[in-house]
Amino acid sequence: MESARIMATVARIVRDVGIAEELAQDALVAALEQWRREGVPDNPGAWLTATAKHRAVDLVRRRETYARKLAEVGRTLPEESYDPEPSGPGDIDDDVLRLVFTTCHPVLSAEARAALTLRLVGGLRTDEIARAFLVPEATVAARITRAKRALAKAGVEFEVPYGAERAARLGSVLEVVYLVFNEGYAATAGDDLLRPGLCEDALRLARGLAALMPGESEVHGLAALLELQASRVPARTGPGGRPVLLAEQDRGRWNRLLVRRGFDALARAWGSPRTESGGGRSYGPYALQAAIAACHARAGSYAETDWAVIAGLYGRLMELAPSPVVELNRAVAVSMAEGPAAALPLVDALAAEPALERYHLLPSVRGDLLARLGRADEARAEFARAAELTRNERERALLRGRARELEGGA
């Protein structure tokens, strides 16, 4: 929970994200040893940060090459204080924002930026990052190792950049914040469907970016998307953590404050004079996804959802940022607007997509379409396959339950 903030604080001192990660881990080891003897302190996050910071200063002092940085640290440390929690829901920890922009430096490839930021800022494990990008775990591990070395070799400054340099990094920053939120909204693996802490971290970053760059449409689009998606979190699980599908959710449990914040952010996205690239008045992928989420939020019930509009928005999204996952989502919307028979060919066409080979939602969606068409045996086989592919225990139980419901069907 505290790792991103600890690493960000330490990285400002040592100017090396790899060393900052090691020092944060050292602080955790110290906590495991000392807290067992002396008890957990009243403010664990502040204790961990202070311990890591002291070790960072000791490291700087030991290295003659860091003499200049030590002088800077010596002037600033007495004036610093650590606030373990943001003072308000819209506040952001500046050091974490600096860490995000540092790990999204253009000296790294786009893939390396995303992997490193998810590891250091999002606290995701290597296998979780691999799942998010649909690539082998070994590939992600190699990217993270190379990225740390590249940043150290290039002597990248720990800062939020300005002007053209900020614009050059913004796309990667937005992608990473989006992926952190997604892992919190639907955990790749484990016993829980949700990881609320990651959702909160991503929301805080998105709000901070919107305040930092008020003229960028896609920044507001991402903020709107995350606010609207986060509004559903209270209704996404039932007793015992059981997943609740969108069609079955009690919309009275949706967080109306977050819905209003999402609508406000979407209005700013539509009214913003620029996209993240600085081009004319065109709307990017995040603003379009936020518009889709807004359609769900406006509907009083699942039955009242305007699926035709949602299918059209997914069509525009496919033109702007084509991907097999977007096409799968479009197929779901088409099935609701025009019926499952119209959507099944779209889903079948995705079967040969290498990126979706082990993506459990593909057979899950296909199973739902087949069930609605009365092809129960085929649908049951698809749900069983989807259950084998997912590594989240809650999702696996849900999919196996749907397969059991179809037993004995024609």
Side-chain angles (χ1 to χ4, degrees):
M1 292 171 61
E2 297 289 343
S3 61
R5 200 170 299 158
I6 295 168
M7 281 187 284
T9 301
V10 174
R12 176 163 42 82
I13 299 172
V14 299
R15 308 287 176 172
D16 186 308
V17 295
I19 294 175
E21 185 180 23
E22 292 175 5
L23 291 171
Q25 292 170 350
D26 288 346
L28 177 59
V29 171
L32 292 173
E33 295 173 348
Q34 188 168 332
W35 294 357
R36 186 180 293 112
R37 298 191 307 268
E38 302 176 9
V40 178
D42 293 336
N43 194 327
W47 189 99
L48 287 165
T49 301
T51 300
K53 186 187 291 186
H54 292 155
R55 291 179 182 231
V57 173
D58 288 342
L59 177 63
V60 171
R61 286 182 177 137
R62 287 198 304 267
R63 297 188 176 185
E64 293 182 357
T65 55
Y66 286 154
R68 177 181 57 81
K69 296 179 183 178
L70 176 60
E72 295 174 0
V73 171
R75 287 194 297 271
T76 59
L77 277 179
E79 302 173 3
E80 294 180 356
S81 62
Y82 174 67
D83 181 6
E85 296 293 339
S87 58
D91 291 346
I92 187 170
D93 190 311
D94 289 339
D95 282 341
V96 175
L97 189 58
R98 290 188 186 98
L99 181 60
V100 173
F101 273 97
T102 299
T103 54
C104 288
H105 195 279
V107 73
L108 306 177
S109 68
E111 296 82 5
R113 295 175 209 167
L116 182 61
T117 310
L118 288 171
R119 178 71 187 89
L120 299 185
V121 180
L124 273 63
R125 300 191 309 270
T126 305
D127 63 318
E128 294 169 338
I129 301 170
R131 184 72 171 180
F133 286 102
L134 304 176
V135 297
E137 186 175 342
T139 301
V140 171
R143 286 176 184 172
I144 292 172
T145 300
R146 288 196 298 265
K148 291 177 185 177
R149 291 172 180 167
L151 289 177
K153 183 177 180 180
V156 172
E157 288 296 320
F158 185 71
E159 63 184 3
V160 175
Y162 295 90
E165 188 176 356
R166 177 187 293 176
R169 300 191 208 179
L170 183 58
S172 292
V173 170
L174 296 180
E175 179 185 19
V176 166
V177 174
Y178 178 58
L179 290 172
V180 169
F181 181 88
N182 280 350
E183 181 59 31
Y185 191 74
T188 300
D191 296 330
D192 298 314
L193 179 69
L194 305 172
R195 297 173 64 178
L198 290 180
C199 291
E200 293 166 6
D201 287 343
L203 267 174
R204 195 158 55 243
L205 287 167
R207 291 167 182 166
L209 287 167
L212 186 68
M213 310 179 77
E216 296 288 351
S217 171
E218 276 290 77
V219 173
H220 294 298
L222 177 64
L225 174 60
L226 302 195
E227 300 279 8
L228 291 168
Q229 293 290 84
S231 72
R232 303 182 204 167
V233 166
R236 293 197 72 232
T237 55
R242 176 184 60 84
V244 179
L245 299 175
L246 180 62
E248 302 167 358
Q249 287 177 15
D250 176 5
R251 300 193 175 205
R253 297 185 64 197
W254 287 10
N255 187 315
R256 305 314 300 181
L257 173 60
L258 294 183
V259 170
R260 288 196 297 272
R261 290 182 66 105
F263 286 159
D264 289 344
L266 183 57
R268 287 191 290 272
W270 289 143
S272 182
R274 294 185 299 157
T275 65
E276 81 279 3
S277 62
R281 186 183 288 276
S282 61
Y283 305 118
Y286 297 114
L288 287 173
Q289 290 178 78
I292 292 168
C295 286
H296 289 293
R298 291 191 186 98
S301 67
Y302 189 76
E304 297 173 49
T305 306
D306 194 334
W307 290 103
V309 169
I310 291 175
L313 288 169
Y314 272 121
R316 290 176 61 184
L317 187 59
M318 273 297 293
E319 295 174 1
L320 189 62
S323 82
V325 173
V326 172
E327 179 64 4
L328 182 61
N329 288 330
R330 186 177 78 88
V332 172
V334 168
S335 79
M336 299 304 299
E338 303 176 25
L344 187 58
L346 302 177
V347 174
D348 287 344
L350 294 171
E353 284 285 346
L356 299 184
E357 183 179 0
R358 300 195 58 78
Y359 188 58
H360 73 282
L361 292 182
L362 178 59
S364 175
V365 169
R366 191 169 189 274
D368 183 71
L369 298 179
L370 291 169
R372 289 162 61 189
L373 290 168
R375 296 159 61 176
D377 289 341
E378 295 172 81
R380 186 172 64 254
E382 291 295 323
F383 286 130
R385 178 168 174 263
E388 291 302 314
L389 289 176
T390 186
R391 290 184 293 165
N392 185 282
E393 293 301 325
R394 298 293 183 181
E395 286 186 320
R396 181 175 290 122
L398 175 67
L399 291 164
R400 286 175 174 168
R402 296 204 67 185
R404 284 194 298 271
E405 291 170 3
L406 295 167
E407 288 178 358

